[in-house]
Amino acid sequence: MLTDIEIAQSVTPKHISEIAATAGVDDKYLELYGKNKAKVDLALLKESDRKDGKLILVTAITPTPAGEGKTTTTIGLADGLRKIGKNVVVALREPSLGPVFGIKGGAAGGGWAQVIPMEDINLHFTGDFHAIGAANNLLAAMLDNHIYQGNALNIDPRRITWKRCVDMNDRQLRFVTDGLGGRINGVPREDGYDITVASEIMAVLCLSSSITDLKERLSRIIVGYTYNEEPVTAGQLNAAGAMAALLKDALKPNLVQTLEGTPAFVHGGPFANIAHGCNSVIATRMAMKLGDYAVTEAGFGADLGAQKFFDIKCRYAGLKPSAVVMVATVRALKMHGGLAKTELGSENLEALEKGLPNLLRHVSNIRNVYKLPCVVAVNRFPTDTDAEIDLIIEKCRALGVNTVLSTVWANGGEGGKELAEEVVRLCEEESNFEFSYDLDLSIEEKIATVAKRVYGGNGINILPAAKKQIDNLTKLGFDKLPICVAKTQYSFSDDATKLGAPENFEITVKNVKISNGAGFIVVLTGDIMTMPGLPKAPAAERIDVDENGIISGLF
């Protein structure tokens, strides 16, 4: 059996100018990065009077080690829509180097549903992440230099909240002490690094609608507090202009293609925990402007990715989705029903029935909280039995939702045609899209609303330190912003061991902080790390390149 990278390398990509022509991108908007990649100028959005296409979100059940295939389904659905004659553009996130060299691998799809050039996308690509890291670290350097040069803003070094970043899993950098070596080398203080995808700059870039909006958001970023407990911003450090200069090209979305030649924007990649886990607003808008159908995805399960897509991204960008695809596998649902990964190859209707409430709660949220049409896409594995598939169909039908089998991993767009037909049908249905909470609620009320309405919990338990932070943010006037809950992706609750659809639990709020440039309040409910570490046997050990520059080992 061919590996993902071998499949990707077996296909000769079309020249990117041909893909641009397919998408309706005029040459004057195209900035080539070699033969297979390009950026598209933002002027296209201003100058096009084309009606926006339908927006389709692909999300998933709560993830398990068995895998769900959300990105693969997103790409396969786009290829399937093209197979049935539809004009479609897909919009995805860029992979981070940390997971690529760590344990998770890349994020370019799999099998015969991939975006290419897979190697470039999973590695340096067009340099967007490097630009984001440079802008992040420029702000850090200007902050420390300001303190060293006399500290006119009266910044308290003990209350600096801005960290440096690098796009690599490096636990050694989580906590550092810097500024050592005498007065000429800076002011000694405790510091630390985040991975680039956890930087607020990433979230800012992905939510910005223009260079002007980008600069305004950068100016609002809070880097620390004064001795009088007043927030200090990047604007006060006069850093926003230079940061924007570093980011001006990174703000333009990257155009590539699927294995079948469907136009694809791959742009931005904020963490789905500490940030909102979606590709850029600009890429999504451009996909909608160019396609009659725009297919996009959101990170992790629907309780994290879809919730933030709706309540943060759609709210800020004024987007209204037309349909939602909920991705599931029999294998993952049986894990939610209590089976070990080694036991998934045999039929087990009892375990499947125990795990199905996870899928059903996610589907119910889409239908009843966000009021959107939904279809369940089951990635079929050879070990799945007809009886197991029938049970999923039966349970979903009781909620008024159809189930479609997807074989895009093995068959590409051909295996996504039935799903595409159902999505087209759903896009014609009436929908009354709603957010899960109102911005006028207090910070506590917003957190409690998400915990109850989306997670299915009883409420929240706010620890004293978090209560003090909430009170301070309210005092500073930030209480009307959306919330971005950082919690484990492996459970509806904040306890990763509670699989399926747990009940009678509270979400414990440990810390609350402001991402003022991005425009949301981050609510930390567990031990969420913003700098991951490498596993005992990292993927980097298996990646290589030969004399001809052919890369192997990426997945």
Side-chain angles (χ1 to χ4, degrees), residues 90-370:
V90 64
L92 301 168
R93 292 173 294 164
E94 297 179 53
S96 164
L97 290 178
V100 167
F101 292 124
I103 194 169
K104 182 177 177 289
W112 291 96
Q114 296 187 59
V115 281
I116 51 174
M118 179 262 219
E119 305 96 317
D120 292 9
I121 293 167
N122 279 322
L123 297 177
H124 298 287
F125 201 19
T126 57
D128 292 346
F129 283 22
H130 300 305
I132 290 165
N136 181 104
N137 295 339
L138 171 63
L139 179 55
M142 292 181 71
L143 168 61
D144 281 315
N145 183 63
H146 179 90
I147 295 171
Y148 175 78
Q149 299 291 355
N151 199 6
L153 292 173
N154 202 32
I155 300 168
D156 185 348
R158 299 164 302 177
R159 299 206 61 199
I160 290 173
T161 56
W162 194 253
K163 293 183 178 182
R164 288 162 172 81
C165 73
V166 61
D167 194 33
M168 202 61 64
N169 289 1
D170 192 348
R171 66 172 58 83
Q172 196 74 10
L173 295 177
R174 287 176 189 159
F175 301 99
V176 301
T177 302
D178 53 24
L180 303 179
R183 185 180 180 280
I184 63 168
N185 294 313
V187 178
R189 67 179 180 89
E190 292 183 350
D191 201 353
Y193 279 72
D194 290 333
I195 191 168
T196 300
V197 284
S199 168
E200 188 179 346
I201 305 292
M202 176 66 81
V204 164
L205 181 128
C206 287
L207 288 171
S208 296
S209 59
S210 64
I211 287 283
T212 299
D213 185 31
L214 175 68
K215 289 198 291 186
E216 289 174 353
R217 288 177 178 274
L218 292 172
S219 294
R220 296 200 301 263
I221 289 173
I222 293 173
V223 297
Y225 294 84
T226 68
Y227 286 102
N228 297 323
E229 299 191 353
E230 295 294 325
V232 178
T233 66
Q236 290 175 279
L237 291 169
N238 299 315
M243 293 164 69
L246 286 170
L247 295 167
K248 71 177 183 67
D249 290 324
L251 190 63
K252 301 170 186 175
N254 307 300
L255 180 65
V256 289
Q257 62 191 287
T258 71
L259 290 174
E260 299 185 11
T262 301
F265 287 110
V266 179
H267 192 223
F271 252 21
N273 272 332
I274 209 73
H276 60 292
C278 309
N279 68 274
S280 74
V281 164
I282 286 175
T284 301
R285 281 181 167 160
M286 207 165 276
M288 294 173 69
K289 186 61 67 179
L290 296 169
D292 295 329
Y293 296 88
V295 184
T296 191
E297 66 166 347
F300 292 140
D303 57 317
L304 283 172
Q307 185 267 315
K308 294 170 185 178
F309 177 87
F310 297 138
D311 288 315
I312 297 175
K313 180 174 178 176
C314 290
R315 196 191 299 263
Y316 272 126
L319 302 174
K320 183 181 178 182
S322 295
V324 176
V325 176
M326 183 68 64
V327 180
T329 63
V330 170
R331 291 163 54 84
L333 289 171
K334 288 195 289 190
M335 283 201 83
H336 278 293
L339 286 190
K341 190 175 179 180
T342 54
E343 301 173 328
L344 301 177
S346 302
E347 179 177 281
N348 192 321
L349 294 175
E350 182 182 358
L352 178 60
E353 185 144 19
K354 286 181 180 177
L356 267 167
N358 183 273
L359 168 63
L360 300 179
R361 181 178 292 176
H362 284 300
V363 169
S364 177
N365 286 343
I366 300 300
R367 292 289 306 275
N368 300 317
V369 175
Y370 297 105

Side-chain angles (χ1 to χ4, degrees), residues 460-473:
I460 57 175
N461 172 34
I462 301 176
L463 298 185
K467 181 65 172 71
K468 184 178 179 181
Q469 292 163 337
I470 289 172
D471 291 343
N472 189 48
L473 291 177

